[in-house]
Amino acid sequence: MEVVEESPYRFRIERHDPMRVPGVVFASRSLLPDPAADRSLEQVADVATLPGIVDASYAMPDLHWGYGFPIGGVAATDVDAGGVVSPGGVGFDISCGVRLLVADLGRDELRPRLDAVLDGLSAATPRGMGSGAVWQLTSREELDAVLRGGSRYAVQRGFGVQRDLDRCEDHGAVDEADPTQVSDRAIERGARQVGSLGSGNHFLEVQAVEQVYDESVAEAFGLRTGQVCVMIHCGSRGLGHQICTDHVRVMERVMDRHRIRVPDRQLACAPVASAEGRDYLGAMAAAANYARANRQLLAHAAGQVFQRQTGRRLDLVYDVSHNLAKLEEHVVAGVARRLCVHRKGATRALPPGHPELPDELRAAGQPVLIPGSMGTGSYVLTGVSGSPAWASTCHGAGRVRSRKQAVTAGQGTDPRAQLAARDIAVRGASRRGLAEEMPSAYKDIAAVVEAAEGAGLCRKVARLVPLGVVKG
């Protein structure tokens, strides 16, 4: 495979059969994956073979190996030219994303109450592999309402306020959700998990604004130096995982009928306009709404803790997903086209002036939330005009070690003590769970953000540092 450096922070994988378009990787040389240890560059080339793909198979600076698509992969297909949708281009944790809330509270004001706040958040945040949730649903009809209404339904039931919908991608719900395409097994897995954090790299973190890079945009977002924030990172739990599993199996069976050939069965796909494509998008949207409601409920519970322990409320800055396929209109070769944009481990980053942004954010652009590895900083970015990858950017630091490798590398160390040495308090995590998510398992988040900004994908607004973390 030939990888050519076109410009700083942009590398090109030359097109060769059966690729339909080239691959484009936004990264620095130090962030490029090692082909001997990580096959994600091969996956970028494989994605370029999908029917209907437009422009290029893109990869973000946090690129690493995933199921079918690389994590950090972005690809758009032309719906009206036989373009396909691939569940592997979304992933198993559908609509996994990040929600950022701010308090009218300074870091120094919080310090005497930090332990009490973290204890309260730990008690109020169901987490781990199993069931247990903020909201105990009473019927299939109630779950269907969550799948159709997402955060809108949660707010309607008293778990939040209108501002929460104004500051959420898709205003809290994807309208095209179709719960009839969600299997009974997926329903069973999701029924007892609405309002739960899960495990792995999911977290609820109390943070402070350490540095502001753009004062005017930070002010529009409601951020100031020293301010306390809460960041929530989670997704659609077992329901989303099962939906991906179910629809990959369906598409594996129908590809021959649609005369589709892919180099990796994990890229199983179907035309967006086909029955199978529409069914998957309806089920995916239902999972996205579940994830939005999930974060809405966790944020509401966190807000109650803050109100009780500090007397201050939490206000939403933004909620954005990083595992979705969305039907969007983009200009291709001077013509407006309807595209299915896959973002897997990649975040939508709408530029200033975009009509989907709320009025108070339109001049500044979309808040883009980039969590770092546990123990390092996170970033708030904003979208920019003329972004080269369908208004997309990175979603996090990007793994360089598997969870097993991270645990092995950390043998003989105490992750909790390492975090305490950085003045970061931890609640609820096992030693293994902490070892899996320590900074050494990830790329340098500052280098990832530098590459994303240098490539013209986004712009830095603020850097946040962790004060305490709640994990499964």
Side-chain angles (χ1 to χ4, degrees):
M1 180 185 301
E2 185 181 3
V3 180
V4 178
E5 184 172 4
E6 293 188 309
S7 61
Y9 306 115
R10 182 178 175 121
F11 293 81
R12 182 184 185 91
I13 300 172
E14 296 293 353
R15 193 195 73 79
H16 57 270
D17 290 338
M19 294 169 65
R20 301 169 190 265
V21 294
V24 172
V25 182
F26 302 105
S28 62
R29 281 203 171 275
S30 64
L31 291 173
L32 282 177
D34 176 4
D38 183 316
R39 295 176 48 219
S40 54
L41 292 176
E42 293 179 35
Q43 291 185 313
V44 174
D46 287 347
V47 170
T49 70
L50 291 177
I53 189 168
V54 176
D55 241 17
S57 169
Y58 292 109
M60 300 294 116
D62 50 342
L63 171 72
H64 57 289
W65 183 87
Y67 181 93
F69 271 58
I71 297 169
V74 175
T77 62
D78 190 327
V79 176
D80 300 317
V84 297
V85 61
S86 172
V90 173
F92 286 93
D93 196 358
I94 296 168
S95 194
C96 183
V98 184
R99 173 171 288 225
L100 181 67
L101 305 110
V102 292
D104 184 18
L105 186 69
R107 178 177 188 166
D108 292 338
E109 293 177 89
L110 176 64
R111 190 163 298 281
R113 303 297 303 160
L114 179 59
D115 282 338
V117 166
L118 287 172
D119 289 342
L121 291 172
S122 180
T125 307
R127 56 200 186 275
M129 291 292 290
S131 59
V134 172
W135 194 354
Q136 301 299 321
L137 301 179
T138 59
S139 66
R140 168 65 189 260
E141 290 71 26
E142 199 168 35
L143 180 55
D144 276 2
V146 170
L147 299 180
R148 292 187 186 279
S151 291
R152 298 175 196 170
Y153 181 63
V155 169
Q156 178 186 328
R157 292 296 301 271
F159 297 100
V161 296
Q162 178 61 41
R163 174 192 167 92
D164 297 338
L165 306 181
D166 297 337
R167 292 297 189 97
C168 184
E169 186 179 9
D170 302 312
H171 302 284
V174 183
D175 292 329
E176 296 78 20
D178 184 358
T180 66
Q181 300 305 322
V182 179
S183 69
D184 290 343
R185 175 61 179 145
I187 292 294
E188 179 185 347
R189 294 184 68 180
R192 296 181 299 279
Q193 295 181 335
V194 188
S196 63
L197 197 61
S199 57
N201 64 344
H202 296 155
F203 63 79
L204 185 154
E205 196 166 272
V206 179
Q207 304 171 330
V209 180
E210 178 81 356
Q211 186 173 3
V212 169
Y213 304 98
D214 188 315
E215 292 283 355
S216 63
V217 175
E219 183 179 359
F221 290 176
L223 299 171
R224 67 177 189 275
T225 304
Q227 186 177 25
V228 171
C229 307
V230 172
M231 181 176 281
I232 299 171
H233 175 213
C234 65
S236 50
R237 300 294 320 271
L239 178 132
H241 193 286
Q242 191 64 46
I243 285 172
C244 182
T245 299
D246 293 339
H247 287 268
V248 164
R249 290 170 179 164
V250 169
M251 292 187 181
E252 283 179 336
R253 293 196 297 268
V254 303
M255 280 196 296
D256 285 344
R257 174 155 54 84
H258 291 297
R259 298 180 179 177
I260 293 173
R261 298 285 185 273
V262 291
D264 182 350
R265 297 295 290 186
Q266 293 182 358
L267 290 174
C269 56
V272 174
S274 68
E276 298 83 11
R278 292 192 301 270
D279 289 350
Y280 169 70
L281 286 172
M284 183 210 69
N289 291 342
Y290 183 99
R292 306 278 171 76
N294 193 22
R295 291 193 289 275
Q296 180 70 38
L297 289 160
L298 290 171
H300 180 74
Q304 290 180 315
V305 172
F306 261 76
Q307 186 70 49
R308 186 168 61 248
Q309 294 295 341
T310 71
R312 311 293 175 87
R313 70 174 188 268
L314 292 176
D315 292 320
L316 183 60
V317 174
Y318 209 68
D319 180 299
V320 67
S321 301
H322 50 233
N323 284 347
L324 274 183
K326 298 176 77 79
L327 299 182
E328 302 173 357
E329 186 174 284
H330 291 272
V331 176
V332 181
V335 179
R337 305 295 297 175
R338 191 164 60 115
L339 305 181
C340 180
V341 183
H342 301 73
R343 296 183 181 93
K344 179 181 180 179
T347 306
R348 191 167 72 158
L350 299 180
H354 197 283
E356 289 188 38
L357 292 172
D359 291 343
E360 66 270 25
L361 296 179
R362 195 160 295 154
Q366 180 205 308
V368 180
L369 312 174
I370 309 297
S373 58
M374 186 175 55
T376 66
S378 297
Y379 284 82
V380 179
L381 316 174
T382 187
V384 296
S385 299
S387 170
W390 318 117
S392 308
T393 191
C394 57
H395 87 303
R399 294 194 78 96
V400 291
R401 287 177 175 162
S402 70
R403 289 183 168 85
K404 182 177 180 180
Q405 288 170 336
V407 170
T408 300
Q411 285 180 348
T413 65
D414 184 349
R416 194 178 297 271
Q418 290 177 328
L419 291 170
R422 301 184 188 195
D423 206 19
I424 301 169
V426 179
R427 296 293 187 276
S430 67
R431 184 207 167 279
R432 181 182 179 89
L434 290 176
E436 290 176 347
E437 301 301 322
M438 291 298 284
S440 60
Y442 288 87
K443 297 178 182 180
D444 178 358
I445 183 64
V448 169
V449 169
E450 177 188 337
E453 187 174 42
L457 300 171
C458 53
R459 194 173 75 253
K460 286 189 297 187
V461 176
R463 179 174 177 267
L464 318 176
V465 294
L467 305 178
V469 61
V470 176
K471 288 189 63 66

